[in-house]
Amino acid sequence: MYNQNDSKYCYPGSDVLVNIPGFTEQRQLDAFERLVTLDRLRLLNLRPVKGEYDRTHLCNIHRFIFKDIYPFAGKLREKDIAKGKFRFANVRFLASQIDQLLTELKNENLLNELPFEKFIERLAYYFTELNVLHPFREGNGRTQREFIRSIAAESDCFMDFTDIAPEQMLKAMIESPYNNQRLTHLLYTITKKN
Ligand SMILES: Nc1ncnc2c1ncn2[C@@H]1O[C@H](COP(=O)(O)OP(=O)(O)OP(=O)(O)O)[C@@H](O)[C@H]1O
């Protein structure tokens, strides 16, 4: 959640994101969001959104998780955003930078017999880069984690983000643009090769 008043996305004079049920109290929206997304993420564990791991696929995952919550579900953000001292990608280059990153992913052919350790290192790299781009106005963490989890699943690896305390995850993500060793280590600890 970004506490910047943002008239394009928020109710007038408020920091609450415009949402489909129409909650104007942040507390109510948070509770609704938590319930709905928990349910959606559980469903995704059983049946992931299918796709080519390109921009459309990423947006479709976001749409699936957030379609009953936010009108911008599945759509790239149209405003620049920052968290702490970190400014995420500029909106002018967002679509092309996502395409560039996911073309790199496609060309690397990750699913083709990389040794497990190397595979995890590469997932940590793509996870970090996706986070630096921060494609959506809200819901980046959950969408990124599902995207990375789906790639792992395609490679017969079971990755369970619920095994990581949210503070640990956040610390690793904040560090990751400078040094992604902590994130890589976390991914090792939550991934099992079938
Ligand atoms: N200072 C920071 N620098 C880099 N990344 C950050 C920073 N603060 C938060 N993040 C990343 O932003 C993500 C949260 O983004 P956002 O609020 O859009 O997603 P979410 O799905 O709503 O949240 P969450 O990840 O808590 O479930 C975190 O998971 C983390 O990866």
Side-chain angles (χ1 to χ4, degrees):
M1 174 65 207
Y2 304 87
N3 57 359
Q4 344 185 106
N5 187 312
D6 179 348
S7 57
K8 184 167 179 72
Y9 287 101
C10 295
Y11 290 108
S14 151
D15 284 330
V16 180
L17 290 169
V18 172
N19 58 85
I20 288 174
F23 293 120
T24 52
E25 290 286 326
Q26 188 64 50
R27 203 172 31 86
Q28 291 175 312
L29 174 58
D30 287 346
F32 177 74
E33 209 209 55
R34 210 167 19 249
L35 273 178
V36 173
T37 59
L38 206 61
D39 193 48
R40 289 291 146 82
L41 291 168
R42 284 199 186 117
L43 284 172
L44 285 172
N45 257 292
L46 298 173
R47 187 185 292 182
V49 172
K50 295 258 176 270
E52 302 296 317
Y53 297 95
D54 54 8
R55 173 152 53 100
T56 304
H57 190 185
L58 184 70
C59 289
N60 285 344
I61 293 174
H62 188 267
R63 180 174 298 108
F64 183 84
I65 302 172
F66 294 100
K67 65 186 170 196
D68 293 328
I69 308 173
Y70 295 119
F72 57 82
K75 295 187 188 135
L76 299 187
R77 64 182 160 82
E78 294 175 5
K79 293 283 245 180
D80 287 337
I81 51 176
K83 277 192 165 176
K85 291 189 210 110
F86 198 82
R87 291 192 73 76
F88 299 107
N90 187 294
V91 284
R92 278 182 298 160
F93 312 115
L94 191 53
S96 63
Q97 288 183 333
I98 296 168
D99 289 345
Q100 199 180 332
L101 179 70
L102 299 182
T103 301
E104 187 185 339
L105 170 67
K106 192 179 189 122
N107 291 342
E108 184 171 344
N109 213 352
L110 259 196
L111 305 180
N112 253 2
E113 294 172 17
L114 270 188
F116 182 67
E117 291 199 354
K118 186 79 191 153
F119 179 64
I120 296 292
E121 278 172 27
R122 296 310 291 155
L123 287 185
Y125 164 77
Y126 287 107
F127 196 178
T128 301
E129 294 300 313
L130 264 184
N131 186 53
V132 165
L133 295 176
H134 240 60
F136 307 102
R137 176 59 185 78
E138 176 70 17
N140 289 283
R142 283 163 281 191
T143 304
Q144 275 154 204
R145 293 191 291 274
E146 175 55 23
F147 190 80
I148 295 296
R149 192 200 67 77
S150 301
I151 300 175
E154 292 250 3
S155 211
D156 273 341
C157 289
F158 177 73
M159 185 179 264
D160 188 354
F161 281 100
T162 62
D163 282 352
I164 307 180
E167 319 80 73
Q168 262 188 302
M169 186 77 237
L170 182 60
K171 189 170 183 194
M173 294 316 291
I174 290 174
E175 259 180 42
S176 66
Y178 313 101
N179 178 344
N180 75 4
Q181 293 223 319
R182 187 187 297 273
L183 176 62
T184 308
H185 178 73
L186 277 185
L187 294 187
Y188 278 129
T189 63
I190 60 159
T191 310
K192 289 181 188 64
K193 180 103 182 106
N194 288 330

